[in-house]
Amino acid sequence: MNRYSRSDKGADPPLQSTRLLDQVRERIRDLHYSLQTEKAYLYWARFFILWSARQGGMRHPRDMGSADVEAFLTMLANERQVSPATHRQALNALLFMYRQVLNLELPWMQQIGRPPERKRIPVVLTASEVQLVLNHMQGVEGLIARLLYGTGMRLAEGL
């Protein structure tokens, strides 16, 4: 059993705040999540609530169900065309809010469709193609490009 499991419901300290976003922040800090995770989860929780206002009046997430969450995630995928990683982050933020803050275990959240990962084929130039590119570069930029290519240094190291 890890620290994220919900079988130990009594282990979480009670939330002090009455506002939902403050409760999300409080629980994230109780669990020692990173500041970047806190910012991202707060963004998605706020966005979800504001999005609900477009759907006929702002509602508390406790009053929304699977259809609302699915519609929100579908909107992200279709209208906003977010990447699969961003879609997953939004889903994880909503899961966190429902499980950790609202203490609602929603089995339907596990069945929500996730967009497929995009296959990324790395772009690799042949040695002759690299030579053509480097031959077109002049001055300081050309020197840095040759240095980076020849030594394998990173850009910050070369600069």
Side-chain angles (χ1 to χ4, degrees):
M1 210 46 63
N2 64 28
R3 74 178 191 179
Y4 303 107
S5 64
R6 299 304 302 160
S7 66
D8 57 343
K9 282 191 181 233
D12 292 334
L15 296 167
Q16 302 299 313
S17 181
T18 56
R19 297 181 58 209
L20 178 64
L21 294 178
D22 291 337
Q23 290 176 340
V24 171
R25 180 180 292 111
E26 189 178 330
R27 182 63 73 215
I28 286 171
R29 290 180 181 180
D30 285 345
L31 294 172
H32 305 289
Y33 282 31
S34 73
L35 182 60
Q36 288 78 17
T37 301
E38 178 181 327
K39 287 178 182 178
Y41 281 18
L42 285 170
Y43 170 82
W44 288 116
R46 184 178 298 111
F47 190 14
F48 179 59
I49 294 165
L50 292 174
W51 171 84
S52 75
R54 289 186 3 195
Q55 307 304 313
M58 195 175 303
R59 294 179 294 159
H60 194 282
R62 187 179 291 116
D63 301 327
M64 292 188 249
S66 64
D68 297 303
V69 174
E70 285 188 55
F72 175 71
L73 293 171
T74 300
M75 178 275 301
L76 289 178
N78 295 337
E79 291 176 31
R80 294 273 178 126
Q81 296 182 342
V82 299
S83 71
T86 302
H87 191 273
R88 242 186 338 275
Q89 184 185 62
L91 175 59
N92 288 335
L94 295 179
L95 280 170
F96 179 87
M97 179 177 63
Y98 276 102
R99 285 181 181 160
Q100 302 290 336
V101 178
L102 299 174
N103 289 321
L104 296 173
E105 190 63 45
L106 305 171
W108 49 263
M109 291 283 270
Q110 299 305 324
Q111 279 77 42
I112 290 179
R114 291 164 173 80
E117 276 295 323
R118 296 180 187 148
K119 298 284 186 207
R120 291 193 180 170
I121 300 172
V123 177
V124 180
L125 300 176
T126 65
S128 61
E129 291 171 329
V130 170
Q131 199 59 45
L132 284 172
V133 171
L134 291 176
N135 287 339
H136 283 44
M137 299 181 80
Q138 303 294 320
V140 174
E141 292 83 6
L143 176 64
I144 292 173
R146 286 178 186 79
L147 185 65
L148 295 178
Y149 179 72
T151 63
M153 285 193 291
R154 296 175 186 219
L155 181 59
E157 297 167 332
L159 294 176

